[in-house]
Structure formats: C-alpha cells, structure tokens
Amino acid sequence: MDLRDNMLSWHGLRAGDTINNDKLCSIFKCAPQGGMRRSLTKNSLIIVSNHVESLYEDRWVDDVLHYTGMGQSGDQSKSFAQNKTLNESNINGVEVYLFEVFKQKEYTYRGRVELAEEAYQENQPDDTGSIRKVWVFPLRVTGEKRHYQPSKELVDKVRQQHEKKAKKMSIKNLEKRAKYPRKTSIVRNVNTITYDRDPYVSEYAKRRAKGKCQLCECPAPFQNRQGDPYLETHHIVWLARGGEDTIYNTVALCPNCHKKMHILDLPTDVHKLTQAALKEGINNEAN
C-alpha cells in the first residue's frame, strides 16, 4: 500500500460501494444537499453527479467525467463558491471525492478525483429553460485500487428515464435542450464500450421528421405501442468516427434505411441526409 492509499483509507469506502445520504454526510462531515459539498472538517469537496434528477448534463467520455459546475440560473462563474474550490483543487490541497446517483437516494462511490484538464465553457439550459454558459470540469478517478464501472442495466435504466422525460416535452422546449452542440459526446465504459446518445437530441430529430423517413421519404412503416410513428435516429457522421451528438448530425430513418446506412453508408445518401439536417438547422435558426 502506497502513501496515497493510506491517505484515502480514513473514509472506509471502496469504489462501487453504495451508501445513503445520511451515511455520506456522516463520513465526510458535509452538507446534506447540493452537487458540490465542501467539508472544512475533512478538507474535502464532495462531488455528486446525479444522473436521475439533476438539471445538469454530466457525461463520461472514456474515463473522464465532464462535470457541470455550480449555478442553476444565468451564466456560471468559475470563481464562484465551490467552482473556485474545484478549479483550484490540484493546487489548494483540497481532496475531491466523486459519488454518482443512478437510483434515487443511493450514492455510489467512484473514488477520489482530480482535474484531468482545464475547465471549459459550453451552453446548457438553466432552471428556467433559458440557454446560458456553464463551466465544465473534466475529472478523472485516481488512487483507487478497484476500477469500478456501473452495469449496463443500471445505465440503461437512467437513459430510459430521460427518454420518457423527453417525450413529455414540447417541441419548443426540446429544441432549446437539444440544439446546442456539446463539445464532447458520451462514451461510457460498462462491460463493453457504449455510446450513450442524448435522448433530447434523439426525440427532437424524430419529432422534426414528422413521421417520415428522411432518406426514402416514406411514412414510418408502423406505429409503436404508444401510437407514435416508429423511426430510428441515426448519426450522419457516426459517433465512433468522431461525429457530434447534435441535431445537425442526427436524422430519423425507417428501420430499413437505418440498416442500409450502417451497411453501405453510400456517399449519395450521406450527402442527402447532410443537406436535410442542414436545411432543418437553417429553418430553425430563421424561426
């Protein structure tokens, strides 16, 4: 056991352990609420990435969590409260610990984390739905003996909850949520590599297609159990090839055309879909 392991042993947690909020507060002597909880007693900062209820769009890219800072309304400041603490954590001596929430009231310990690179800004909606600038902090787990990854089933359940939320949103609110491209797409390591698509981008692309495949231009072949036209979302430039998970790179296709794109990916079809997405983007900006 090296010196860093000795420093981490005081809290008694191993990566993957799940505790409730009372236990978390008892161990770290921190506040019971919030996504960034400062503990002066333990000289630590507790980061909670809540994938169930949070307003923010935290996401994993390989082994780095891109975590959104504090501030629910208006533009965020990097020098505000715990944003400043986290931003300076590599030099201020404060230990930062990460928990993730996949189920309500359950906090899964991921480990001690450090800044993997400098914070950057991007556009996200605030608590009123207005688009504002936020600070995103790339965090990497460090010093843990056990390398924990959540199960695919756990991640899928969270995604399904967001898909249900997206279906309940108006097309106007969907556009607000989905139209601003993120600098990084979600790539989460589970048992296998999966690309976790933004459910709001996906739902918006399907609504925008108005029940017709954007490649063959035929109506959806059938309706799903909810009575909606069945279309599948497709990234024109595949995520595996570096494509962005945005409304400008996402179209809605019938199952047959979707399969065709993944087998043939013909340049003529790519061009048609690119033009369709671009046209929609221009129309949206005009409106």
Side-chain angles (χ1 to χ4, degrees), residues 174-186:
L174 265 176
E175 182 182 0
K176 280 185 178 181
R177 181 71 181 254
K179 70 182 291 186
Y180 289 91
R182 301 180 300 190
K183 291 187 177 181
T184 52
S185 296
I186 299 176

Side-chain angles (χ1 to χ4, degrees), residues 130-169:
S130 300
I131 298 301
R132 46 66 180 274
K133 289 189 178 297
V134 301
W135 281 99
V136 180
F137 299 89
L139 304 174
R140 180 183 289 116
V141 176
T142 182
E144 293 298 320
K145 284 186 171 183
R146 180 185 178 191
H147 184 64
Y148 168 80
Q149 295 293 353
S151 68
K152 185 176 184 299
E153 291 75 16
L154 200 58
V155 174
D156 285 345
K157 284 182 180 180
V158 172
R159 185 180 68 250
Q160 289 164 10
Q161 291 182 53
H162 284 281
E163 288 173 350
K164 289 179 181 179
K165 183 178 178 180
K167 286 185 178 297
K168 294 179 181 179
M169 296 174 69

Side-chain angles (χ1 to χ4, degrees), residues 85-97:
T85 304
L86 181 57
N87 189 54
E88 298 176 354
S89 59
N90 283 357
I91 59 173
N92 62 13
V94 175
E95 298 282 356
V96 184
Y97 298 95

